[in-house]
Structure formats: C-alpha cells, structure tokens
Amino acid sequence: MSGFSGFLVGLAAVLLFWGIGAYNRIMRLRNKIGDAYAQLDQHLSTRAKLVARLMELLLPELVTELAAFDALHSAQTDCDTAAAAVRARPAVADPVAQLAVAVAVHAAALTRLLALLDQHPELRARDDIQPLLDELRAIEQQRSFARQLFNEAVRVYNEATNQFPTRILAGIYGFKEASSL
C-alpha cells in the first residue's frame, strides 16, 4: 500500500505545482493586458489633449459649426469615461467593448471636424494648426500600434485560458475571456 500512497502523494504534488504554474501564467498574461492598455491609454490621453487644443483654436473660426464641436466634445467625454473604466479593469470585456464604441464615435466626430477644416484651407495652413494636425496624425499611428499590442495580449490571454486543462483552473478562479478593441 505504501507504493500506492507514494504515487498519490506524487500525483497530488504534480497537480499542485501544475496548478500554481498555470495560475501564475494566466496572471502574467492578464497583467500583460494591463501593461498594453497603459500604453494605449497614454496615447488616448495625448490625443484628447491635442483634440481639445485643436477645438480651442478652431471654435472661434468655425462658430457656425457648433454642432460638430458639440459632437466631438461629447464623444471625447464618452471616450474619457470609457477609458477610465478600462483603466480600472483592462481584462474585463464590457468596459473594453464600451471603449471600442466610444473610440469609433470619437473617430467619426473627429473626421467630421477635419472635413470642415478641409473646407477652409486658410485655417489648415495656419502656423498654430498644421503642427497640431501633424502631431495628431502621428499620435493616431502610435495609438493604432498600441491597439494592436493590446489586442495581441488579449488574444494570447484568451488562448491560454481556453486551453484544456487550464480552462478548468481558469473557471475555478474566475478568469473570464477578455475583449479586444
């Protein structure tokens, strides 16, 4: 009987060490989602500041287009709120989905404002507006790259939590599927 009990103790030890390793791997992958979101959040914050400065410069010149400014301001507020919710829990699907919608609405509102700016080439040529537009274009490229990194971190995490037998452990500890942007 002692050989059998030794086997059971060995099996329990292997399962315990596997469980600890799998748990730590899932936690590390979930933390990578948070790290990737921190980069994305930084770009969203920078974009918000640039857009606010651009609106501040353009509003006196395009006062007849108040609806476009209101839409962009509202979209920015929604984007900031959604970003704060994701900041608190970047691996939770619902806030990320809300941020995805807010970012899309913001992009549409910003595109509308930029289209209005295209109708006024004298404004686009101003020394204080063109550098802002260039910086906004650069930050959008960086944000797009940061979004890809976030989505890749989410994909790797989701794959890890959905693989058997880790899936059982993920269910026990409440690791839910993350959502990409």
Side-chain angles (χ1 to χ4, degrees):
M1 228 15 153
S2 83
F4 184 69
S5 62
F7 172 76
L8 288 178
V9 168
L11 181 62
V14 167
L15 288 175
L16 176 69
F17 287 121
W18 167 81
I20 291 169
Y23 178 84
N24 287 337
R25 178 172 181 246
I26 293 171
M27 286 299 295
R28 188 175 54 253
L29 292 173
R30 189 172 75 175
N31 289 341
K32 284 185 179 187
I33 292 173
D35 294 343
Y37 180 73
Q39 291 179 4
L40 179 60
D41 190 40
Q42 180 182 5
H43 296 306
L44 289 172
S45 179
T46 302
R47 179 183 71 176
K49 292 173 188 170
L50 290 171
V51 168
R53 179 71 182 130
L54 184 63
M55 287 176 33
E56 180 182 303
L57 292 172
L58 292 177
L59 185 59
E61 304 294 332
L62 298 173
V63 92
T64 58
E65 301 294 343
L66 220 47
F69 287 96
D70 288 344
L72 184 54
H73 178 71
S74 176
Q76 185 61 58
T77 301
D78 292 347
C79 202
D80 291 344
T81 302
V86 174
R87 196 175 304 123
R89 298 185 71 193
V92 176
D94 288 342
V96 173
Q98 291 171 355
L99 179 60
V101 170
V103 166
V105 170
H106 185 275
L110 182 58
T111 299
R112 180 177 174 199
L113 183 66
L114 294 176
L116 289 172
L117 188 58
D118 285 341
Q119 294 173 4
H120 299 276
E122 71 282 358
L123 290 176
R124 187 178 271 282
R126 281 182 27 188
D127 290 340
D128 56 347
I129 293 178
Q130 190 56 49
L132 272 175
L133 295 174
D134 292 341
E135 197 172 347
L136 188 60
R137 190 172 302 113
I139 204 69
E140 281 299 311
Q141 290 174 347
Q142 293 170 4
R143 187 188 65 80
S144 177
F145 182 71
R147 183 178 154 263
Q148 289 174 351
L149 289 177
F150 175 80
N151 287 342
E152 179 63 15
V154 166
R155 185 190 65 75
V156 170
Y157 168 83
N158 285 340
E159 282 180 359
T161 59
N162 285 322
Q163 291 174 346
F164 182 81
T166 308
R167 183 180 190 134
I168 296 167
L169 185 69
I172 292 170
Y173 286 108
F175 290 108
K176 306 244 188 264
E177 189 164 320
S179 183
S180 39
L181 288 171

